[in-house]
Amino acid sequence: MFNESRHGFDAAQTEYEAFMLEPQDWVPNNRKLPVVLYRRALSPGSGNLGAAFEILFEHNAWPAQWRDSIFDFHHFHASAHEVLGVTEASAEVIVGGPGGRVVRLHAGDVLLLPAGTGHCLQSFERHFQVVAGYPSGQQWDLRREALTPQELADMLALPFPPLDPIDGKHGPVIELWLDAA
């Protein structure tokens, strides 16, 4: 089980920002679900953040599928929602496709991307790394071109678990995503 005190997780102390993105060129973004940026979801100095994020995501039905950096080209996933837990260093990530919003991420932060949300690593310090999780039963794809109308409809109909990847039965997925469904 996830040991919250050992890894510095405190839901009451985790702040988040949610924002919507309009479609941009070939990037559909998601018209129904906001992007969520959790600040200091885990304390950066609390030990092995990679393992802690993997345990936390698994516990909340967003099992981790890989550890690495973020691609340095614009792309999105049409077949899965994605949660990225920053385990090392910091980076600037463009969210929303070319010309999108630049967000600065630090170790311990989490970026929750609804399916269709463009993202691209713009710059990074040291060995920037994330753990990526996806809702149980969803497998990510890699898209760099516009979707067909049917693919867009399928993307917008993707299910998501009834748990927030960070705060379980509380948090933005419960407060914002379930209301939009």
Side-chain angles (χ1 to χ4, degrees):
M1 172 138 283
F2 182 67
N3 180 337
E4 294 172 353
S5 61
R6 179 171 166 231
H7 294 291
F9 176 68
D10 182 353
Q13 296 301 313
T14 300
E15 296 180 9
Y16 70 86
E17 172 188 357
F19 55 91
M20 297 296 296
L21 295 167
E22 294 295 320
Q24 183 133 333
D25 196 18
W26 54 271
V27 178
N29 291 311
N30 196 300
R31 296 176 180 103
K32 294 176 13 180
L33 305 174
V35 172
V36 179
L37 175 56
Y38 305 78
R39 293 293 183 192
R40 296 182 56 89
L42 295 179
S43 176
S46 63
N48 184 340
L49 291 184
F53 276 126
E54 287 173 347
I55 293 166
L56 182 60
F57 294 165
E58 177 74 30
H59 180 73
N60 290 320
W62 291 75
Q65 293 186 16
W66 55 268
R67 285 191 200 191
D68 205 342
S69 187
I70 297 173
F71 290 125
D72 61 356
F73 53 84
H74 292 281
H75 67 285
F76 64 91
H77 311 294
S79 62
H81 304 296
E82 181 175 51
V83 63
L84 301 168
V86 181
T87 64
E88 295 181 45
S90 60
E92 288 185 341
V93 176
I94 303 169
V95 180
R101 181 175 178 168
V102 176
V103 297
R104 183 133 183 100
L105 302 174
H106 303 277
D109 291 348
V110 173
L111 184 61
L112 177 60
L113 301 169
T117 303
H119 50 294
C120 171
L121 184 65
Q122 177 173 277
S123 64
F124 63 94
E125 297 173 0
R126 298 187 321 268
H127 182 68
F128 176 72
Q129 187 173 55
V130 299
V131 168
Y134 305 86
S136 296
Q138 292 183 13
Q139 180 60 47
W140 62 278
D141 60 348
L142 185 63
R143 301 301 298 260
R144 297 183 70 186
E145 73 286 333
L147 298 175
T148 67
Q150 184 58 56
E151 289 172 327
L152 181 61
D154 292 345
M155 181 197 82
L156 292 173
L158 272 175
F160 48 90
L163 296 174
D164 186 272
I166 301 304
D167 203 8
K169 294 181 180 179
H170 307 282
V173 166
I174 305 307
E175 296 167 9
L176 304 173
W177 282 29
L178 290 179
D179 287 343

